[in-house]
Every structure is written in C-alpha cells, then in structure tokens.
Amino acid sequence: MALNELINENMKASMKAKDKFTLSVLRMMRSEIKNEEIAKREKLSDNQVVQVLSREFKKRKDSAEEYRSYNREDMASDLEKEAQIILSYLPEQMSEEQITEIIKEAVETTGVHSKRDMGKVMGVVMPKLKGKADGRLVNKIVQSFLE
C-alpha cells in the first residue's frame, strides 16, 4: 500500500476511534503532502512523501527543543508526541554504528581527509541515508572522521 493511502486509511480509523490527537496529526501530514503536490503539480511518489514527512518530523523535534529551552514542557511533550506519530510513517532509522560504517566507506572511497572537502563526503553519504538518519548526526560523525 502506498504511504499516502496508508495515511488516509489510518485517518479513517482515527475518526472511528475518536482519537482526536492522532487525527489532527494525520490531517496535518495529509495537508503538507497535498501542498507539496500542488507546488510540484504532480502526485508525489513514496520517496517524495518520505521527504515531506522527514521535514515535518525535524520541525517538530526542533520546536520541542526550543520550547524546552523556554521551560514549556507541556508544548514540548505535545510536539514530541506528534513527532512520534510522524516517525511511525518514516523508514526505520539507522543506528549510529550503521551510519558510521557508511561514512567510513565514503571517506575511504573519496580519499578526503580535510574538513574543507566535507561536502564531497556528504554528497556521497546523504543519498544513501536520505530519510533514514538525522542530518545533524551524520554531519557530526563525518566531522569526526575529518581533520
């Protein structure tokens, strides 16, 4: 089943279960996907839907951190709940060890050892990790490999 169809089916189930919080998150997800489809003037593939959902997940995580810095735990916890619902529709996230292995391989194949050439390594690594790893974590690990 396509990711878009899965979201629609789960929306119907949330309506029947009267789960207002999950329903609102699913509606937001569907709305963001629809906005992207309108902008691109075409139906989105599953990979493109994953990109949209990854962006929304990242927004929620960043906002939750920001609210925590202002001692707004109530808002932060709601955003984290939303992020967890979005995460359930994303591909399984890779572990730090798996990411490190891919980066190690990329550093060896590109022959880069300087942080100035970090973009070359990121260019090789990010297509493999798209939607499966947090970009900040990838960036941190790549920097640890370069001088």
Side-chain angles (χ1 to χ4, degrees):
M1 181 183 295
L3 200 50
N4 231 346
E5 293 170 12
L6 180 63
I7 292 169
N8 287 332
E9 289 301 314
N10 289 346
M11 267 184 60
K12 291 174 190 174
S14 294
M15 283 183 213
K16 289 177 184 175
K18 298 185 186 332
D19 183 356
K20 290 182 181 181
F21 186 79
T22 302
L23 179 61
S24 71
V25 174
L26 292 171
R27 282 183 172 156
M28 174 277 308
M29 290 166 50
R30 195 173 80 175
S31 172
E32 289 298 324
I33 292 166
K34 192 59 112 175
N35 287 340
E36 192 73 18
E37 286 177 344
I38 291 168
K40 291 188 182 240
R41 297 176 187 211
E42 64 182 26
K43 283 278 189 197
L44 297 182
S45 68
D46 273 355
N47 286 339
Q48 291 170 316
V49 171
V50 166
Q51 287 178 336
V52 171
L53 295 181
S54 294
R55 185 173 57 230
E56 293 303 311
F57 174 75
K58 185 177 181 328
K59 283 181 190 176
R60 301 297 180 295
K61 292 300 275 184
D62 291 346
S63 295
E65 289 175 21
E66 193 70 25
Y67 278 118
R68 279 219 169 74
S69 71
Y70 292 111
N71 294 323
R72 292 293 312 266
E73 191 61 41
D74 56 329
M75 297 293 289
S77 67
D78 283 348
L79 286 168
E80 285 184 342
K81 288 177 193 172
E82 287 181 22
Q84 288 306 310
I85 293 170
I86 295 169
L87 185 63
S88 69
Y89 293 91
L90 293 174
E92 187 175 332
Q93 299 294 297
M94 296 178 96
S95 70
E96 198 167 327
E97 293 80 31
Q98 292 171 317
I99 296 168
T100 303
E101 198 59 40
I102 290 172
I103 291 171
K104 182 188 249 183
E105 184 181 306
V107 167
E108 290 171 5
T109 58
T110 58
V112 173
H113 298 291
S114 170
K115 284 189 180 180
R116 287 183 303 159
D117 297 326
M118 186 173 151
K120 292 178 183 175
V121 176
M122 292 297 280
V124 171
V125 169
M126 286 314 288
K128 295 177 184 176
L129 301 176
K130 198 80 170 167
K132 299 177 188 171
D134 180 30
R136 281 187 270 171
L137 176 62
V138 173
N139 191 332
K140 186 181 94 180
I141 296 171
V142 169
Q143 284 185 10
S144 72
F145 275 94
L146 304 177
E147 298 170 358

